[in-house]
Amino acid sequence: MNRDPRQDAQQLVAYVRAATKQLDYLRPRKEDKAFLEQDGKLLYAVDTDVIKLYTNPGEMSVTRKNREGYAQIFPDDDPYLATAIGAALARYVFFYLSENLPLLALPPLNEEMQHVYYGIARDASGELDRAQEQKAKLDEIFEQAEDDEELATLILTRAPDIYKVLWDQGASGELKQFGDLLEESRVAPPCHLLDEDLVKDVNLIQALAPVDQSLQDMFDFRELREAWFDRLRETKSSSRPITLLYDDAVAMARLEWVNDRLEGNKYRLLMITGDQSLFAAAQRYSKGSRSFAEKFLRHPRTYLAEPEVLLTEQGQTSQETGAEGGMANHDDNRFVESLEMLGQSLKLNDSEEALEKSAQSVLDDTPDLLVKFKEKWSKYTSSLAARQIENMEYASEHLNNLHDLQQRLDEKIEETWDSFFKTTTKTGYGLLLYSTSDRRPVRNAPPLRFDSFKKARNFVDIVITEGRLPSGAQQSLKVKEDPWDYTFYLVYALLYAYLGKWGFTKSLAAHATYLADKGKVKAITGREAYFLLAVAVRHSSKKLGDLTDAREYLSMARRLVVEEGHHDRNKDVRFESELLAIDLTAHLFMAFKGDKQAKDIPSLKELQHSAIAQLEELKSGVEPDEIIRVATERNLLTNLFMLTFLRVFGYGEPVDKAELTPWLAYFKKNIDGKNGQVPRLSTLVDIIFHMAVWFLSEDGNKEEKKRNRKSAMKLLEARSVRDYVMPYDKKRIRFFKQCLNGENKSVATGGKDIF
């Protein structure tokens, strides 16, 4: 069947548009190189979408509904080719573009990067668990598969998570890719460059410094931020959450702020992004004779003509591997010239009808124009396409029998977890800490005992009390008594708890228990890892039933205390306090989430009496470690008053205020205690303390009661309160507000609007 000439004309128009667009992306690179040749220095920042392009090129590169593919250069490019181009561009951006300095994640995009990583890690964990469960299906799959192709198809349809793990098509593959960036420190917030002394130029140091150096700076930055917010509101989707729009505005304002302070110097900061709404907003904003987009924004496709984009695994370009005759020779600009030749064949400002006629005329004169261009494009991208196919074929090798496939699956799962543990510890935590050290913790991290490991104790104390990672020799946690690095993983599990990243804490603490069981070292029983795991599981629980595991891990920790011959205590005050916290959490699930009444859970009144008894025991000096004593007291006091509020305002039970008043004074003393002895006051503790002050205020002193109510309400209205940890936290905050406003009707009197 002969092809309709009109279709050929329409395809030529589409190709000319694509070529013109690619030329527009390439043009700033020429200007950047001219700037470098004049002894200029370029720094680069990356948007979160470019990180996603590296970790998941298949998702970001191909055109999707309502979103342009970041690497789909021409409309009929095969998705495999677009994916290969996207991967090559991202690799160039992160590993070739700025070899001496990491690329910057401008605040608050650095926190957005964290959220992306946490999400990938969570999804990868589920994917790996499901892959393990699906292994039972492999016997049947192998019996039915007649060849390798059918085998892959059956695995994809019947054991999709195994397919994702084996062929790096899912979250576990993304996790490893993200790990590469963090492990090699290829992306970091600006303060990382300053703290690690990676920049020396005074002007650059001042430009990258936080924007709150003076009151005037704060006002000036606010004006930039508000202006960008208004611009982006015109170009961003109306469905985009206002908080994300605000974050984009802050990042763009920071980009402008830095470049304004570098004006006239040899430095310039460029932002690499594929977000078309950012380009649209920046294109409308002039900086001198050019738009902000032309000066400071770059698309990943800006670097498509760079020879390193076509590097093979052996470090050769496609020209060196035999792609002669294509467009791969960057030195003589064959790629750019071919694009220009195609782009100039039509005038795109004509009407659609006129364009089609012009295209048909061009094809009449040069019928092989498009065919030859496609051949050149195919040669230019040949190494990329070949590499993508090789990667898929490599994943399929040696999987022609059940034993090999199961072995390879186990290896891939182990590789993924190794990557996760390596990334989330030293390097990954350091990068995360830079952007969160100025915030108060949402919850308290549990105090751990490092009786036999002073290095670990000192390491944790520095981070928790000073908000920084130890430097130099202080970072070493290696001791001969711990050949399996148990304390290394336990320390980082605790540090993530300090940041409120309980999912990471749970994974690392579980790994530490595995190492303790594996190592069988006398000084390491795994007691602290099991305790921390219990706390992490409690903070990660989604429903009442999830607390069963927390109880089991805590029971293991309590059993190990008794079994340890080198400890002089048969019980641990922390463990009794944590058991009470688990029981209270069960009540909170029942109250605020409507979970069914749990069996064998002490009543609120019984738990309140238990909390007071434990506090009395701590006052008697039973705990010699000052930090553990103060931290455990704080947890018990917080839970004591939470129990009080549930009893009084939730269920209408009477309490003895006179009995509680001395404990409020003790609470105040704990909070005002020795500076640096315990972590900073957490958000939840601060709220409950101020609620207790209001609750126990003299009813006759209306002014004091009103003042204390206002202080508590101010905390409840703060933005940090919305950093919810537990599924019921939003309702708990609402409950506190209702207590202060006198709106509650207890459950005992039919107040179902509370619980």
Side-chain angles (χ1 to χ4, degrees):
M1 177 182 288
N2 293 328
R3 184 177 173 87
D4 184 353
R6 186 180 178 186
Q7 288 182 324
D8 291 336
Q10 290 172 343
Q11 188 177 54
L12 177 59
V13 171
Y15 260 73
V16 170
R17 282 202 175 102
T20 302
K21 188 167 192 173
Q22 181 56 45
L23 285 168
D24 290 340
Y25 284 138
L26 291 172
R27 196 165 290 113
R29 183 60 173 158
K30 184 177 181 180
E31 298 171 5
D32 294 342
K33 289 189 173 183
F35 179 74
L36 292 171
E37 289 170 359
Q38 296 170 4
D39 295 325
K41 305 288 184 184
L42 291 175
L43 283 81
Y44 300 91
V46 286
D47 200 353
T48 311
D49 60 347
V50 181
I51 295 175
K52 292 179 182 177
L53 181 64
Y54 182 82
T55 62
N56 191 355
E59 172 64 26
M60 299 299 294
S61 300
V62 181
T63 297
R64 309 283 180 184
K65 185 179 180 181
N66 300 325
R67 180 180 62 75
E68 177 187 63
Y70 280 38
Q72 188 132 10
I73 314 301
F74 295 101
D76 56 355
D77 281 348
D78 190 282
Y80 278 106
L81 176 58
T83 299
I85 293 173
L89 287 170
R91 186 180 65 248
Y92 176 80
V93 166
F94 284 106
F95 291 95
Y96 290 93
L97 191 55
S98 178
E99 295 184 17
N100 296 323
L101 290 175
L103 283 73
L104 300 180
L106 295 177
L109 298 184
N110 55 328
E111 295 186 13
E112 188 176 306
M113 176 183 75
Q114 295 171 27
H115 294 316
V116 170
Y117 183 70
Y118 297 145
I120 292 173
R122 181 192 62 243
D123 293 345
S125 177
E127 182 177 281
L128 294 172
D129 289 343
R130 291 191 300 272
Q132 288 280 23
E133 294 170 0
Q134 291 167 8
K135 287 171 67 174
K137 301 179 180 179
L138 290 177
D139 284 322
E140 183 180 347
I141 289 173
F142 262 88
E143 287 180 6
Q144 295 184 7
E146 296 184 359
D147 52 40
D148 291 347
E149 184 177 349
E150 186 178 3
L151 174 63
T153 301
L154 287 173
I155 293 175
L156 175 61
T157 54
R158 298 187 187 179
D161 292 289
I162 289 179
Y163 182 90
K164 291 174 183 177
V165 171
L166 288 176
W167 279 272
D168 289 327
Q169 297 296 301
S172 56
E174 283 189 73
L175 188 66
K176 286 187 286 186
Q177 288 287 93
F178 213 129
D180 290 344
L181 297 181
L182 292 181
E183 189 178 352
E184 299 294 330
S185 297
R186 296 314 305 151
V187 59
C191 50
H192 175 79
L193 273 64
L194 304 181
D195 292 347
E196 297 298 318
D197 202 26
L198 297 178
V199 294
K200 309 295 182 184
D201 186 276
V202 175
N203 293 317
L204 183 56
I205 291 172
Q206 291 175 346
L208 293 176
V211 297
D212 57 358
Q213 300 299 297
S214 70
L215 190 60
Q216 186 60 51
D217 283 350
M218 294 171 67
F219 282 130
D220 291 344
F221 186 78
R222 182 179 181 278
E223 288 186 7
L224 289 178
R225 183 194 68 208
E226 294 305 312
W228 276 108
F229 185 85
D230 290 339
R231 293 186 194 104
L232 291 171
R233 194 160 48 183
E234 295 178 4
T235 61
K236 289 279 187 179
S237 169
S238 58
S239 62
R240 185 169 179 79
I242 198 74
T243 53
L244 296 181
L245 183 63
Y246 176 86
D247 289 348
D248 289 335
V250 173
M252 292 297 284
R254 188 68 178 269
L255 178 63
E256 183 173 4
W257 173 273
V258 171
N259 280 301
D260 284 350
R261 277 144 190 76
L262 294 176
E263 188 71 35
N265 293 299
K266 61 181 179 180
Y267 288 97
R268 186 179 297 167
L269 176 63
L270 304 178
M271 164 85 84
I272 304 173
T273 178
D275 189 332
Q276 294 301 318
S277 61
L278 290 185
F279 273 99
Q283 196 67 45
R284 300 175 185 179
Y285 175 40
S286 296
K287 290 290 284 186
S289 60
R290 302 165 62 205
S291 73
F292 190 88
E294 291 172 318
K295 292 188 73 171
F296 304 121
L297 294 188
R298 301 292 180 264
H299 195 282
R301 284 166 58 174
T302 298
Y303 308 101
L304 185 60
E306 299 303 309
E308 292 88 350
V309 171
L310 298 179
L311 281 175
T312 64
E313 297 298 326
Q314 290 72 36
Q316 298 174 304
T317 67
S318 64
Q319 184 188 10
E320 295 167 329
T321 55
E324 298 86 354
M327 302 178 245
N329 191 335
H330 181 266
D331 294 335
D332 64 9
N333 292 310
R334 290 184 188 174
F335 173 46
V336 178
E337 289 175 1
S338 296
L339 284 175
E340 289 174 342
M341 185 179 299
L342 182 63
Q344 292 168 3
S345 63
L346 295 174
K347 294 180 180 180
L348 292 178
N349 55 353
D350 289 342
S351 66
E352 286 295 320
E353 185 179 353
L355 268 176
E356 278 192 29
K357 289 181 178 179
S358 297
Q360 188 58 60
S361 177
V362 169
L363 290 174
D364 288 342
D365 293 338
T366 53
D368 59 351
L369 172 66
L370 199 53
V371 173
K372 285 187 175 181
F373 180 84
K374 287 184 176 183
E375 289 176 353
K376 290 180 179 180
W377 176 238
S378 177
K379 289 180 179 179
Y380 180 62
T381 57
S382 59
S383 67
L384 292 176
R387 188 188 314 153
Q388 185 71 10
I389 295 171
E390 286 171 6
N391 289 342
M392 294 299 292
E393 289 178 346
Y394 176 77
S396 302
E397 286 181 0
H398 311 301
L399 301 182
N400 52 5
N401 67 72
L402 180 60
H403 177 267
D404 288 346
L405 190 146
Q406 289 175 328
Q407 184 176 6
R408 180 58 180 155
L409 178 61
D410 290 340
E411 290 172 355
K412 292 283 285 187
I413 291 174
E414 186 173 351
E415 288 170 7
T416 303
W417 281 121
D418 285 346
S419 173
F420 170 75
F421 293 133
K422 187 184 297 182
T423 301
T424 51
T425 50
K426 187 173 180 180
T427 302
Y429 184 86
L431 293 174
L432 294 170
L433 182 64
Y434 282 112
S435 58
T436 53
S437 57
D438 60 335
R439 290 186 176 185
R440 68 161 62 190
V442 180
R443 296 287 191 276
N444 286 327
L448 297 188
R449 299 187 193 277
F450 292 102
D451 299 338
S452 304
F453 303 100
K454 291 183 178 179
K455 284 185 176 182
R457 174 64 178 266
N458 294 337
F459 189 109
V460 171
D461 286 351
I462 288 172
V463 174
I464 290 180
T465 61
E466 300 180 32
R468 68 173 179 87
L469 277 176
S471 57
Q474 292 176 316
Q475 286 197 359
S476 174
L477 292 168
K478 195 72 177 177
V479 290
K480 64 180 181 180
E481 295 85 1
D482 182 14
W484 295 99
D485 292 331
Y486 164 83
T487 51
F488 176 82
Y489 288 105
L490 184 60
V491 161
Y492 279 99
L494 180 61
L495 299 186
Y496 275 106
Y498 175 67
L499 289 183
K501 308 304 179 185
W502 294 101
F504 284 74
T505 296
K506 185 168 72 170
S507 296
L508 292 170
H511 190 59
T513 64
Y514 164 76
L515 293 174
D517 294 340
K518 176 181 178 181
K520 304 297 183 183
V521 177
K522 184 178 180 181
I524 299 172
T525 64
R527 177 197 70 234
E528 296 302 298
Y530 278 109
F531 168 55
L532 182 55
L533 183 55
V535 178
V537 169
R538 173 169 63 85
H539 281 94
S540 304
S541 58
K542 302 301 180 186
K543 57 185 185 299
L544 192 149
D546 295 341
L547 297 176
T548 301
D549 288 342
R551 295 181 192 280
E552 290 181 1
Y553 294 133
L554 183 62
S555 177
M556 177 65 77
R558 297 170 81 185
R559 181 175 64 79
L560 289 170
V561 167
V562 177
E563 292 179 359
E564 289 170 357
H566 56 283
H567 286 282
D568 58 359
R569 61 183 74 88
N570 287 323
K571 71 174 183 177
D572 192 305
V573 293
R574 299 169 303 154
F575 300 170
E576 306 310 308
S577 173
E578 178 57 25
L579 180 59
L580 185 146
I582 293 172
D583 288 336
L584 171 57
T585 302
H587 277 284
L588 290 169
F589 270 116
M590 291 185 287
F592 293 115
K593 295 296 289 181
D595 287 12
K596 292 183 179 180
Q597 185 74 31
K599 297 179 180 179
D600 303 324
I601 301 293
S603 69
L604 294 173
K605 184 177 181 179
E606 290 171 331
L607 289 174
Q608 197 170 27
H609 289 162
S610 175
I612 292 174
Q614 290 183 49
L615 285 165
E616 292 283 7
E617 188 177 16
L618 281 169
K619 281 182 68 177
S620 70
V622 68
E623 177 52 59
D625 188 302
E626 180 72 3
I627 292 179
I628 288 179
R629 182 187 67 78
V630 174
T632 305
E633 281 178 353
R634 182 176 294 187
N635 292 339
L636 285 168
L637 287 162
T638 301
N639 290 337
L640 169 64
F641 283 99
M642 185 68 241
L643 288 161
T644 299
F645 302 144
L646 285 176
R647 291 187 65 196
V648 174
F649 298 107
Y651 296 98
E653 297 179 14
V655 297
D656 185 354
K657 286 190 175 183
E659 182 184 29
L660 292 170
T661 299
W663 293 116
L664 177 60
Y666 205 65
F667 205 169
K668 187 176 188 304
K669 181 181 177 182
N670 178 284
I671 290 173
D672 297 336
K674 295 179 180 179
N675 187 32
Q677 285 296 298
V678 290
R680 291 174 61 195
L681 193 64
S682 75
T683 301
L684 182 63
V685 172
D686 202 10
I687 288 172
I688 290 180
F689 171 73
H690 279 81
M691 289 287 298
V693 171
W694 163 78
F695 175 66
L696 294 178
S697 300
E698 291 289 342
D699 292 331
N701 191 336
K702 293 184 178 180
E703 285 301 315
E704 181 185 7
K705 193 87 171 177
K706 183 178 179 181
R707 187 167 56 251
N708 292 334
R709 176 195 172 280
K710 185 177 180 180
S711 296
M713 187 63 77
K714 183 178 179 180
L715 288 172
L716 292 169
E717 297 290 353
R719 185 179 181 184
S720 59
V721 169
R722 286 174 280 177
D723 293 332
Y724 303 126
V725 175
M726 304 302 292
Y728 49 71
D729 275 345
K730 186 175 182 178
K731 288 188 176 180
R732 171 157 53 176
I733 296 303
R734 176 189 167 205
F735 170 71
F736 286 150
K737 290 179 179 179
Q738 289 173 319
C739 293
L740 293 173
N741 291 330
E743 296 173 1
N744 359 22
K745 299 174 183 177
S746 71
V747 169
T749 57
K752 294 182 181 179
D753 58 322
I754 298 301
F755 295 154

